[in-house]
Amino acid sequence: MKRLTASIALAALAFLAAPLAGQEIVIGNIADITGGTGDVGKPYAEGIKAYTDYINANGGINGKKIKLLQQDYGYKIPEALALYKKFKDQDKVVAIQGWGSGDTEALKEQVAKDQIPYFSASYSAHLTDPSKSPYNFFCAVDYSTALRGCLKYIKDNWKEKRKPKVAFIYPDVGYGKAPIPAGKAYALELGFEIVGEENVDLKALEATTQLLSLKKKDPDFAWVGGTKPSTSVILKDAKKLGLRTKFFGNIWSADEESPKMTAGAEEGFLFVVGAALYGDKGPGMDVIKKVSGGQLRVSSWIRGWVSMMVMCEVLKVADKNHELTGPGIRKYAEQLNNLNTQGLTAPITYSSSDHRPFTSVILAEFAGGKMVRKGTIDLPRRADWKGF
Amino acid sequence: MSVAHCGDFRQTYQDDRMVLRTRFIRIAVGAFILLLYLSPLVASNYVTSTMTTIAIAVIGALGINVVTGFTGQISLGQGAFMGVGAFACSYFMRVASMPFWLAMPMAGLTAAAVGMIFGLPSARLKGLYLAIATLAAQFILQYVFLHLDAVTGGSNGIASPPPEFRAFSFDGDRSKYYLTITVAIAAVIFTTNLLRSRSGRAFIAVRDHHLSAEIMGVNLFKYRLLSFSVSAFYAGIAGSLWGMYTGYISAEHFTITESINYLAMIIIGGLGSVLGSIFGAIFMTLLPQALTVGTGALADIFPKIGFLIMSFKDGVFGIIVILFLIFEPDGLAHRWRMIKTYWKLYPFSY
């Protein structure tokens, strides 16, 4: 008898669950919580989760709830691949929120073949060319454009007669190397003199050798293409060695927590911020402030939030047109025209021939341990820059 | 006859040549292989592709077991040799427009040649010193992967086209599985036989006591070098299959972590054992996935501390590996033998 009741209950549950499941949109998230990039990966994943909770509590996707499957892959490619297969075959996700260059590059071909839109936090410019990676999207300025924006800003503020001397410091990995050719080409175009190039590993604990060699070449400016830990190592060692160079870095090189690691050496460091900063004004930030209860959220958290927000906006349109499939999501994502992210980023536009979300670069600088905005550089959407 | 003599009796030459000695074992192994081939018909694509990664890991683990388990030379370059194979295979297919069937063995040979070059220090170095020399191989090759843009696509990586046979393209999970498992079975058979050959016995002699081996007339340098190149050949094949499996190869995969992973596989599975390579590969592939799924499910139940639970994953992985080394120092293959012996004598054990 007990068994009978149990099976009836189970059947009833299954019956009840079936229409409920139809009201859910399953999104996978391949996140790095514990791996090499976990310091920024964790807040990014938290941002994604926070936005999902927020939208589910505020009407969902036209009434449908999002079921977010978040899993850690520890920045290990085989685990990302395994997770992807699981998401695709078992959980039947319609789209994926990914993370860094490791998983994004490894899955690029597969998501294209399986037609699963993949929103990443790897902002390599070559992902913006839909003829090569049709299902990859991201919601921040790409690395190459970021570097170009910095160079433009520096050149615009350069007062002396001679050519400014620039050097490039980056880790010898895909992420670090990605924007360098574009940066060099644009530096020459703008009339910089390129004086040097050094490799500092992402896990470096000191950079004196590289910086001593750089000191001899005496650049006015040096690009730092690392992540927070390696950037703080470079800044500290540069201060110790007394370099007069002004450093500037990309989107992952610094955030609100950097001054804790650099203890003053970050003063004057110019870098790209991908989204609005915590505490800015605007409707988007007001929501974040409310959700976070006034607790500081670092910029990678906000980028995760924005990435999920953009995905949800696309899902809403796709759902309305009853095309909640991979190709449908791609189609409506590519129709996004100046999507307003409530002031959190520049308006986002994708097209079927160009996945660059926008080409404006927000710059900030450290002054007295605080991030101070230095303005926005608007670059043209040049065709020869697409995917480069 | 389905029972063997108690002890290692081999009375005829034919008997001596047999790998599977009783009818029961032959049937069991046959059934297992049949099961491997039939499983994709019922298993989900996810399970099938997991089995594909296991099969690839088996090939790589067999390779490192040849050099480390059988010849006693620690190699920390297996991951990089896999990379050589993967990039070479893709290069041969794209640029020389070779079919996969030719490109894969060619990639294996390329990796073997590279492995031989980096095996050269084994002429003079032993033990930890050699391990460090192979570590250099790892880093040098990683550098090459990032900078030989024409072949490897540099930091962007490069596409690896799927194998084709006439009009059929191996780009589904099942077809990839069938291809990989066939190569893996071939690799297992080849390794088992290699160990019974003149070269295989020489490998073991070099490992057990290199001085005695040399006095007996084993050319130490030749066999060390041979074992390095055989090992790298396996890695090259595994790398080609990995490229086929992912469709895309980037230098970020073939790092020191991957090399150490392979070393861990054979230590956990059992050094110097073909079966150990298989067990180790299964264990090291499934454990992280099981932990990911397990912690993910737990995090779903306790969403408040979800991220905290996920952070435990690596720690748990480490603890499990350490516990294995403490309680199974001879590897899973040894435990398997113990279980077999137990059941052989059941219920009348000594």
Side-chain angles (χ1 to χ4, degrees), chain B residues 80-100 102-112 114 145 148 151-152 158-161 235-237 239-240 243 249 254:
Chain B
F81 296 141
M82 270 185 81
V84 172
F87 285 119
C89 184
S90 159
Y91 185 76
F92 290 141
M93 286 173 79
R94 284 178 300 105
V95 179
S97 48
M98 280 184 197
F100 184 77
L102 193 59
M104 182 176 72
M106 286 290 289
L109 289 176
T110 313
V114 174
F145 296 156
L148 199 64
V151 179
T152 66
I158 211 150
S160 169
I237 297 287
S240 314
I249 350 166
F254 306 106

Side-chain angles (χ1 to χ4, degrees), chain A residues 131-334:
Chain A
S131 67
K132 290 190 184 120
S133 42
Y135 279 84
N136 284 89
F137 294 91
F138 54 74
C139 311
V141 64
D142 66 84
Y143 299 144
S144 303
T145 306
L147 176 47
R148 289 189 193 109
C150 291
L151 290 169
K152 179 100 175 26
Y153 174 83
I154 290 168
K155 188 71 213 259
D156 288 349
N157 290 288
W158 180 251
K159 302 274 178 328
E160 293 179 42
K161 279 268 156 51
R162 64 183 176 90
K163 284 182 168 183
K165 289 188 282 184
V166 66
F168 296 93
I169 312 174
Y170 54 91
D172 204 357
V173 294
Y175 155 68
K177 281 173 66 182
I180 301 300
K184 280 189 193 161
Y186 193 55
L188 293 176
E189 194 181 313
L190 285 177
F192 278 87
E193 186 189 343
I194 299 172
V195 293
E197 227 176 302
E198 295 293 336
N199 288 143
V200 175
D201 194 70
L202 285 175
K203 297 187 199 85
L205 296 173
E206 57 87 35
T208 35
T209 347
Q210 293 93 331
L211 289 169
L212 275 174
S213 131
L214 213 58
K215 196 178 177 182
K216 279 185 210 136
K217 293 162 191 158
D218 193 33
D220 302 296
F221 303 95
W223 163 259
V224 181
T227 52
K228 254 192 316 181
S230 66
T231 306
S232 54
V233 163
I234 292 168
L235 294 179
K236 276 191 285 191
D237 279 0
K239 193 182 176 192
K240 205 164 65 194
L241 296 171
L243 265 74
R244 59 161 203 97
T245 308
K246 181 181 174 71
F247 291 92
F248 61 106
N250 83 346
I251 201 156
W252 297 109
S253 65
D255 68 13
E256 290 81 350
E257 287 172 345
S258 292
K260 280 189 216 158
M261 302 162 85
T262 39
E266 80 284 352
E267 189 71 20
F269 179 62
L270 178 79
F271 60 101
V272 178
V273 285
L277 304 177
Y278 191 77
D280 282 356
K281 295 212 166 49
M285 191 51 73
D286 291 342
V287 177
I288 292 181
K289 277 183 207 158
K290 213 169 79 191
V291 167
S292 64
Q295 289 230 308
L296 172 75
R297 294 289 180 253
V298 294
S299 43
S300 48
W301 191 98
I302 297 171
R303 286 206 284 279
W305 172 279
V306 170
S307 181
M308 195 63 198
M309 175 197 278
V310 174
M311 183 184 264
C312 287
E313 292 305 318
V314 177
L315 288 176
K316 278 180 193 165
V317 187
D319 179 57
K320 213 173 266 167
N321 292 294
H322 305 291
E323 285 190 68
L324 211 50
T325 57
I329 294 170
R330 181 190 165 197
K331 184 173 132 197
Y332 293 106
E334 286 174 347

